[in-house]
C-alpha cells in the first residue's frame, strides 16, 4: 500500500532531542486541530512528515498562528514562580512536564537564575513572531539571539568550562531556535522521555502513527522494527542545564 503524501515536511536532525520533541509538538497540535480525521506522522532520514487528511501546508500555518495568538496564563496551584505550569488557553494545553504530581521540580527543569516558565514561553513566542522561514522544511533552523530558553536544543548550549563563563548567567544573548524550543515544550507534555541506560530515551518511527501509537512508541511500551531508539543525557553548563545530543541504542 502506498504511503500518503505528507501535508508538510520539516528537516530534522534525529540526534537533536529538541528537534525530535518539536516534531512531537507538531503532531500534538495537528492532532488537536484536525477534528474530522486523525493526523499522523513519521520520521524518514533527515525529515519529519506529517499528514493531516484533507489539509495541505495550511495546517502548518494554522499551527504557527495558534502558537502566536493563544492567550497564556499561569496555573499557580503547583510549583513556585519559576516553575508554575503555563496554559495555552485556546489550545487547551497546560505545560507542566518540569514538575512531578506533587509540584516538585524534576530533572527536566533545566533553567535557572531569574528565568521563569511563563517568561520563557512568552519570550519564545515573541521570537517566533519575528523569525522568517522561507520554506516549511527550514522551520527548525530559524535562529534568533535570546537570553532565555528551556534548554532542549543542544545547538543553543554553551559550555561554561570551554568559554570560562556562562553566557546564561551573564544574561547574554545566544542564538536560539524558538520554534524548536516552544514546539518541543508542547511535545514533552505528552511524549515524556523515560530514564534508561544512564540517561533519557526516545524513539523515532518510520511508519505513519497517530498520537496514541506514537506516545507508546516513544515511551518504550511497544517494540517494532520500524522504531529507532536513542539515548541522551542532561549536561550541566554553569547553574543551567540542557539536553545533549543523542546516540543510538542497540545498534
Amino acid at each position: 500500500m502506498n504511503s500518503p503524501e505528507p501535508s508538510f515536511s520539516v528537516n530534522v536532525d534525529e540526534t537533536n532531542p529538541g528537534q525530535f520533541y518539536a516534531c512531537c509538538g507538531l503532531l500534538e497540535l495537528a492532532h488537536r486541530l484536525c477534528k474530522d480525521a486523525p493526523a499522523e506522522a513519521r520520521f524518514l532520514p533527515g525529515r519529519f512528515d506529517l499528514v493531516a487528511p484533507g489539509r495541505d501546508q495550511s495546517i502548518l500555518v494554522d499551527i504557527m498562528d495558534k502558537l502566536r495568538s493563544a492567550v497564556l496564563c499561569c496555573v499557580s496551584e503547583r510549583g513556585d514562580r519559576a516553575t508554575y505550569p503555563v496554559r495555552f488557553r485556546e489550545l487547551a494545553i497546560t505545560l507542566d512536564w518540569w514538575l512531578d504530581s506533587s509540584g516538585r521540580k524534576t530533572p527536566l527543569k533545566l533553567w535557572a537564575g531569574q528565568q521563569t516558565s511563563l517568561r520563557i514561553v512568552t519570550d519564545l513566542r515573541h521570537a517566533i513572531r519575528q523569525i522568517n522561514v522561507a520554506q516549511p522544511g527550514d522551520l527548525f533552523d530559524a535562529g534568533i539571539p535570546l537570553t532565555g530558553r528551556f534548554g532542549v536544543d543542544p545547538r543553543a548550549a554553551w559550555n561554561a568550562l570551554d568559554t570560562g563563563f556562562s553566557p546564561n548567567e551573564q544574561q547574554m544573548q545566544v542564538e536560539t531556535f524558538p520554534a524548536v524550543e516552544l514546539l518541543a515544550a508542547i511535545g514533552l507534555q505528552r511524549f515524556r522521555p523515560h530514564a534508561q541506560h544512564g540517561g533519557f530515551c526516545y524513539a523515532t518511527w518510520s511508519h505513519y502513527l497517530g498520537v496514541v501509537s506514537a506516545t507508546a512508541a516513544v515511551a518504550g511500551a511497544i517494540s517494532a522494527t520500524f522504531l529507532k531508539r536513542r539515548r541522551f543525557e542532561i549536561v550541566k553548563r554553569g547553574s543551567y542545564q540542557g539536553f545533549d545530543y543523542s546516540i543510538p541504542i542497540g545498534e
Side-chain angles (χ1 to χ4, degrees), residues 185-239:
I186 291 172
L188 280 161
Q189 190 59 35
R190 184 192 295 264
F191 298 85
R192 305 288 178 92
H194 59 287
Q196 189 178 351
H197 299 292
F200 292 89
C201 300
Y202 61 86
T204 61
W205 59 94
S206 57
H207 290 190
Y208 278 114
L209 298 178
V211 291
V212 175
S213 298
T215 302
V218 174
I222 60 176
S223 178
T225 57
F226 60 82
L227 299 178
K228 290 185 178 179
R229 304 201 178 277
R230 307 190 66 87
R231 180 183 67 84
F232 68 93
E233 296 180 358
I234 293 176
V235 294
K236 193 171 182 64
R237 300 176 176 90
S239 61

Side-chain angles (χ1 to χ4, degrees), residues 35-54:
K35 302 297 185 181
D36 297 331
E40 296 183 325
R42 68 180 179 183
F43 290 86
L44 293 182
R47 80 175 201 245
F48 174 75
D49 294 339
L50 189 143
V51 172

Side-chain angles (χ1 to χ4, degrees), residues 67-88:
L67 282 181
R68 294 184 185 103
S69 62
V71 174
L72 299 176
C73 59
C74 276
V75 182
S76 58
E77 288 83 1
R78 297 170 58 235
D80 55 30
R81 180 175 175 274
T83 61
Y84 284 151
V86 178
R87 183 166 180 80
F88 289 78

Side-chain angles (χ1 to χ4, degrees), residues 18 22 64 67 124 127-128 131 133 139-142 176-185:
M64 300 309 293
L67 282 181
L124 289 172
I128 283 177
I131 61 175
V133 180
L139 178 64
F140 293 169
D141 291 321
T176 301
F177 303 87
V180 172
E181 291 277 343
L182 191 53
L183 286 166

Side-chain angles (χ1 to χ4, degrees), residues 29-221:
L29 292 173
H31 169 75
R32 290 171 179 263
L33 295 178
C34 297
K35 302 297 185 181
D36 297 331
E40 296 183 325
R42 68 180 179 183
F43 290 86
L44 293 182
R47 80 175 201 245
F48 174 75
D49 294 339
L50 189 143
V51 172
R55 302 288 298 273
D56 54 17
Q57 289 186 6
S58 65
I59 183 61
L60 180 58
V61 174
D62 287 351
I63 287 172
M64 300 309 293
D65 283 347
K66 291 292 185 184
L67 282 181
R68 294 184 185 103
S69 62
V71 174
L72 299 176
C73 59
C74 276
V75 182
S76 58
E77 288 83 1
R78 297 170 58 235
D80 55 30
R81 180 175 175 274
T83 61
Y84 284 151
V86 178
R87 183 166 180 80
F88 289 78
R89 189 174 296 167
E90 287 81 2
L91 293 170
I93 294 175
T94 299
L95 305 181
D96 66 354
W97 43 265
W98 50 83
L99 297 173
D100 65 18
S101 59
S102 300
R104 295 186 295 265
K105 61 186 179 182
T106 73
L108 298 178
K109 190 267 186 183
L110 306 172
W111 61 96
Q114 300 302 309
Q115 296 293 325
T116 70
S117 50
L118 180 61
R119 178 180 173 183
I120 293 171
V121 172
T122 302
D123 288 351
L124 289 172
R125 193 167 69 162
H126 179 67
I128 283 177
R129 293 172 179 148
Q130 299 180 67
I131 61 175
N132 294 314
V133 180
Q135 298 293 331
D138 298 329
L139 178 64
F140 293 169
D141 291 321
I144 189 171
L146 293 176
T147 58
R149 64 207 62 80
F150 281 109
V152 298
D153 189 336
R155 293 177 297 174
W158 285 66
N159 190 316
L161 183 62
D162 291 342
T163 62
F165 66 95
S166 171
N168 283 331
E169 292 170 350
Q170 302 298 323
Q171 290 297 293
M172 293 175 59
Q173 291 187 330
V174 174
E175 186 176 33
T176 301
F177 303 87
V180 172
E181 291 277 343
L182 191 53
L183 286 166
I186 291 172
L188 280 161
Q189 190 59 35
R190 184 192 295 264
F191 298 85
R192 305 288 178 92
H194 59 287
Q196 189 178 351
H197 299 292
F200 292 89
C201 300
Y202 61 86
T204 61
W205 59 94
S206 57
H207 290 190
Y208 278 114
L209 298 178
V211 291
V212 175
S213 298
T215 302
V218 174

